[in-house]
Amino acid sequence: MPPFKDEHILIIAPGTQTTLAQLGLPESFTPARLRISTRMFPAEKKGEWEPLKVREKKIRKPSIPDITLGKDGQDDPLGGPNGTMNGEGPKVDDAEEETLYEEDSTSEEGAVFPLKDGRVVNWSCFFALLTHVYNTLSPPFHTPILVIAQPAWTEQDHETLTQFFFEKFKTPAFCLMDSALAVCYAFGVPTATVVDVGYGKCDVTAVNDFLVNDIGRGIALHGCGGEGMTQRLLDLLSSKGFTRDMCEQLKKSTISEILPPGTDLPTGTGTTDNVTNPAAVASTGAIGSGSGQRVSIAAQGGAPRGPGLDTDVGDDDHDREIKDGEDNDGVLDVASIVASGKTSEFLAKKEREKAERAAAKKAAVDAAAAPKAVRLPNSKREKAILHYEERRPLEELNGNGKRAADGDGTQEGGESKRQKTPEPVNEATDGPAPARKEERRRNRANATFVRKDVEVGIERFKAADGGILDQIADSIHRSILSVPEVNKRSELWDSLIILGNGSKVRGFKDALLSTLHTKYLISPSSATIFTSELPSNLSTPLATGANTPLPQPQPSHHGGGGSSGVNPLLLAATTASNPTLAPPPNLVGHQHLHSQLQLQQYHQHQQSSSSSLLSSSQQQQQQQHSSHGQTPTSIKCAKMPEYFSEWKDVGTEEAAFLGAQVAAKVIFVVDQGLSKGFMSRTEYNELGPQGIHESCL
């Protein structure tokens, strides 16, 4: 088969809300160049679909009147008699109605979403969406296609998609790749637990050596995605006048945060002053400019910051007043003091002033050492301000081009603001930044935005309440326990990957890790109760009679010897692999234990000689387990490689698309079908759509 070129490879990643696509593989893998909404609109003809909402608009076009010619064949400007056209003036009723069709790129009225929680619910609409993506990118004829498959898709769905791409687009090669496996390709780890938090669901998958473990897989956990968090905020804040759009913006803002389980919510105690003027803080102690902002030492009754008279620094010569007994140079006039006869009074006054200055300095030092007003973190503030942008259609503007006077069209300062509509950008752009600009242009076209400030309380910390974190944590635990290789489970706990746009909520990943630690993690000190009694490298008992306990005589309790309290079966088991652990000969009953030890060593030797008929992998699985498979001793998150520079600013939420690029490079260009990574056109003609099960990843 001729090799495929990098610039001809087409990758499509359908999602419940957004579909990612890209034509060609760049030298350094980048985020998706095309991002479109996963929705279509019914067309005028039944069974057909449109990518945008098409509105019908009728306008009245005045009819063109006939011009009466004069006697000399020239146009008569007056037309008929009395200066009319053919004797009659233009009538409004004679205007013709013309129907125009215009596309509304922002409206979702009547939109049909073909995917729900990852499952295909409308195949006709889904095929129209894939056709729209294909036509938008306009790939050449010799183009292999890789589609990222959702975990909820069944084998019949795979066959349906295979038939559609081969019959519709005549592709020479087609590949279906599981989204969890694509994430492992992006992170470069063969074994990992992938937690994909999407729009309305969450998928939990355990991948072992690049093989997806379908047993115990958490598929489409309903209500555990970003929409579930938005709905939770709406339930809490609907009584305060919040709409769904406001709750969605609150969820995406920086003031919304998911706190780890057991964290106390902030109360009204403590200061919540926000420092807005650092220069004022350094000089005067005020937290901002203007009146009412000064909370300095002087405002609290202490000495203000110096230098100057009666300050915490001290008096300067040019700021001091001329006191009694001093001349203009600040030198005491002793002669005048003695002549006045008030020497004792003057000395007492000087001592009193000295004591007052010392007390003022001490008070200033104590006040400076006291905790100053600082800006509290978001998790410590009871209330915060949400800067909410409300979208208004242009139809709400009056004929003068100004907003209707409804009181809602002004900002906090009372000044109306209207954003300028950006220039149109080509949809199939060559870079990720123009693609996002195109999406923003569509969202802002034919609309204006009004900014409002809304105060939100501790409800902003409860987006994940209702058992979302617990449900995801239980699914992770169940998926890992379903892996048959026990010695791989600890690696699955240490390679946890949390991604998806639903996980972008502030604090979500940390809260999920904290939930896992609380419910399932055991500390290494607690784990020693297992390793001290039964070593992890101890041979697993087999049905050979080797570990069958022998009858033991009851130890005598006379003669002051007493029982050692050691379980003979446990002691024999712990010393079977390591004879050095055998007790000294002065223990009661040691001879019987020693004979049992020799018997178990003999059976173990016979077992090792007879196990040569077993394969090495089976023998290792039966005789060894290097970790505790039921509960983990550590839970860690895997990190994506840093050499993908274009993904550093974007994040890892869409890492499945990065893994699809890596896989496409391997199976289409490097491998060229040797490992059966894709299905060719020849194989499709021979095997039909059912052959995709032998080639999909």
Side-chain angles (χ1 to χ4, degrees):
M1 173 179 291
F4 299 104
K5 296 182 180 180
D6 292 350
E7 58 270 17
H8 292 170
I9 298 176
L10 175 61
I11 302 176
I12 303 176
T16 304
Q17 289 292 311
T18 305
T19 296
L20 310 179
Q22 179 173 296
L23 177 62
L25 299 178
E27 294 183 0
S28 180
F29 298 140
T30 60
R33 297 176 179 176
L34 178 63
R35 302 171 60 93
I36 61 175
S37 298
T38 310
R39 54 173 171 79
M40 298 294 287
F41 297 88
E44 184 177 2
K45 187 177 179 180
K46 186 177 181 180
E48 296 183 357
W49 302 87
E50 296 289 345
L52 299 176
K53 177 67 176 178
V54 178
R55 297 187 181 275
E56 183 178 313
K57 185 177 181 181
K58 294 184 178 181
I59 61 174
R60 305 181 67 88
K61 183 178 180 181
S63 59
I64 301 177
D66 296 335
I67 304 299
T68 304
L69 298 178
K71 296 181 179 181
D72 54 355
Q74 301 293 331
D75 294 342
D76 190 354
L78 298 178
N82 300 329
T84 61
M85 297 182 181
N86 295 335
E88 297 180 358
K91 297 181 180 180
V92 180
D93 297 339
D94 296 338
E96 299 178 356
E97 287 189 357
E98 183 178 359
T99 303
L100 297 179
Y101 297 92
E102 58 181 9
E103 295 180 345
D104 190 351
S105 59
T106 59
S107 175
E108 292 187 354
E109 179 184 357
V112 177
F113 293 84
L115 298 180
K116 183 178 181 181
D117 292 343
R119 298 180 174 90
V120 182
V121 295
N122 192 321
W123 281 103
S124 176
C125 181
F126 188 47
F127 288 155
L129 174 68
L130 296 176
T131 304
H132 171 61
V133 173
Y134 188 90
N135 295 335
T136 301
L137 296 176
S138 186
F141 181 75
H142 193 68
T143 299
I145 301 176
L146 186 147
V147 176
I148 299 179
Q150 293 287 335
W153 291 356
T154 62
E155 293 184 356
Q156 186 178 359
D157 297 341
H158 293 176
E159 296 175 5
T160 304
L161 283 173
T162 302
Q163 183 178 1
F164 172 76
F165 277 98
F166 275 109
E167 299 294 341
K168 178 70 174 180
F169 305 122
K170 311 298 180 183
T171 177
F174 179 70
C175 175
L176 275 175
M177 186 176 190
D178 193 279
S179 60
L181 185 59
V183 173
C184 293
Y185 271 76
F187 279 75
V189 291
T191 301
T193 304
V194 181
V195 182
D196 189 356
V197 185
Y199 173 74
K201 50 88 178 178
C202 176
D203 298 315
V204 180
T205 308
V207 181
N208 183 16
D209 290 335
F210 292 114
L211 295 177
V212 177
N213 186 42
D214 294 326
I215 303 176
R217 187 177 189 181
I219 299 178
L221 303 178
H222 182 71
C224 295
E227 177 62 20
M229 303 180 199
T230 304
Q231 189 62 37
R232 176 60 180 169
L233 292 175
L234 183 60
D235 295 340
L236 296 173
L237 297 172
S238 58
S239 59
K240 298 183 179 180
F242 275 68
T243 62
R244 186 194 176 282
D245 190 20
M246 296 176 65
C247 294
E248 182 70 18
Q249 294 191 27
L250 172 62
K251 181 189 69 175
K252 297 178 180 179
S253 65
T254 56
I255 65 173
S256 178
E257 186 176 357
I258 299 178
L259 302 179
T263 304
D264 296 333
L265 295 178
T267 59
T269 58
T271 179
T272 58
D273 297 330
N274 295 335
V275 177
T276 59
N277 192 341
V281 175
S283 60
T284 64
I287 62 175
S289 303
S291 59
Q293 302 290 334
R294 186 176 178 87
V295 290
S296 60
I297 300 174
Q300 299 173 358
R305 291 178 172 86
L309 183 63
D310 295 332
T311 62
D312 55 358
V313 174
D315 300 343
D316 286 346
D317 291 340
H318 60 277
D319 288 332
R320 292 189 304 174
E321 297 177 357
I322 300 177
K323 301 180 180 180
D324 296 340
E326 298 180 358
D327 55 13
N328 294 337
D329 296 332
V331 179
L332 291 177
D333 190 357
V334 179
S336 60
I337 295 175
V338 174
S340 62
K342 300 179 179 180
T343 306
S344 58
E345 296 179 359
F346 178 78
L347 294 177
K349 182 179 180 182
K350 296 295 291 183
E351 292 293 333
R352 189 167 53 252
E353 291 178 355
K354 184 177 179 181
E356 291 177 356
R357 285 197 300 269
K361 288 184 179 181
K362 186 176 184 298
V365 172
D366 296 340
K372 301 179 181 179
V374 295
R375 183 172 183 176
L376 296 176
N378 178 63
S379 59
K380 300 296 183 181
R381 286 182 287 171
E382 183 183 9
K383 297 182 180 180
I385 301 299
L386 169 65
H387 303 294
Y388 165 64
E389 288 188 355
E390 183 181 5
R391 180 179 178 274
R392 295 289 186 86
L394 293 179
E395 287 76 5
E396 295 188 6
L397 300 179
N398 56 23
N400 297 329
K402 298 181 180 180
R403 186 178 308 282
D406 55 356
D408 296 336
T410 58
Q411 291 189 347
E412 186 178 3
E415 181 180 357
S416 177
K417 181 177 179 181
R418 177 182 172 186
Q419 295 188 2
K420 182 179 178 181
T421 303
E423 295 294 331
V425 183
N426 186 14
E427 187 176 8
T429 53
D430 294 334
R436 291 185 174 87
K437 291 182 180 179
E438 169 66 13
E439 184 180 2
R440 289 195 297 267
R441 183 196 66 82
R442 287 187 172 185
N443 293 334
R444 295 179 180 270
N446 300 325
T448 185
F449 289 83
V450 181
R451 179 175 175 178
K452 297 181 178 180
D453 293 339
V454 184
E455 188 178 60
V456 189
I458 60 175
E459 295 86 359
R460 69 186 191 275
F461 301 119
K462 301 180 180 181
D465 286 2
I468 294 179
L469 296 177
D470 293 335
Q471 189 174 355
I472 297 177
D474 294 341
S475 181
I476 294 174
H477 183 253
R478 184 169 54 253
S479 299
I480 295 179
L481 288 185
S482 301
V483 176
E485 292 83 358
V486 181
N487 56 346
K488 288 288 186 179
R489 294 177 184 175
S490 61
E491 187 176 356
L492 290 170
W493 283 111
D494 291 338
S495 300
L496 195 65
I497 301 176
I498 306 174
L499 74 160
N501 290 324
S503 64
K504 296 173 67 175
V505 181
R506 184 179 180 183
F508 178 84
K509 297 181 181 179
D510 295 336
L512 181 57
L513 285 176
S514 179
T515 303
L516 292 172
H517 289 176
T518 304
K519 299 186 67 173
Y520 303 112
L521 186 68
I522 58 175
S523 62
S525 59
S526 301
T528 56
I529 64 176
F530 304 102
T531 58
S532 61
E533 295 181 1
L534 191 62
S536 60
N537 60 351
L538 183 65
S539 302
T540 304
L542 299 179
T544 60
N547 295 318
T548 303
L550 298 178
Q552 299 293 330
Q554 295 295 331
S556 59
H557 298 278
H558 56 82
S563 176
S564 63
V566 179
N567 189 343
L569 299 180
L570 180 60
L571 182 60
T574 54
T575 58
S577 300
N578 192 355
T580 58
L581 298 178
N586 56 354
L587 285 179
V588 178
H590 167 68
Q591 296 179 354
H592 300 281
L593 295 177
H594 186 63
S595 61
Q596 170 127 4
L597 175 61
Q598 292 179 347
L599 181 61
Q600 289 202 6
Q601 290 178 349
Y602 169 76
H603 283 290
Q604 189 174 13
H605 176 71
Q606 295 296 329
Q607 175 187 343
S608 61
S609 61
S610 61
S611 62
S612 58
L613 301 177
L614 300 175
S615 61
S616 59
S617 60
Q618 293 176 344
Q619 183 178 1
Q620 181 179 6
Q621 180 179 353
Q622 292 177 359
Q623 293 187 359
Q624 294 182 359
H625 61 91
S626 59
S627 62
H628 305 285
Q630 299 297 328
T631 51
T633 57
S634 64
I635 301 177
K636 303 176 183 178
C637 285
K639 295 183 179 180
M640 195 170 69
E642 298 181 355
Y643 44 77
F644 296 112
S645 57
E646 288 78 3
W647 289 83
K648 291 183 179 179
D649 299 333
V650 178
T652 61
E653 286 75 19
E654 297 176 354
F657 196 84
L658 172 61
Q661 297 180 71
V662 177
K665 179 74 172 182
V666 174
I667 65 176
F668 287 130
V669 180
V670 180
D671 185 69
Q672 298 183 13
L674 296 179
S675 61
K676 300 287 292 183
F678 61 86
M679 187 178 187
S680 63
R681 181 73 185 184
T682 304
E683 294 172 343
Y684 175 77
N685 295 335
E686 295 177 356
L687 303 176
Q690 294 78 9
I692 191 62
H693 304 307
E694 302 178 2
S695 303
C696 62
L697 298 178

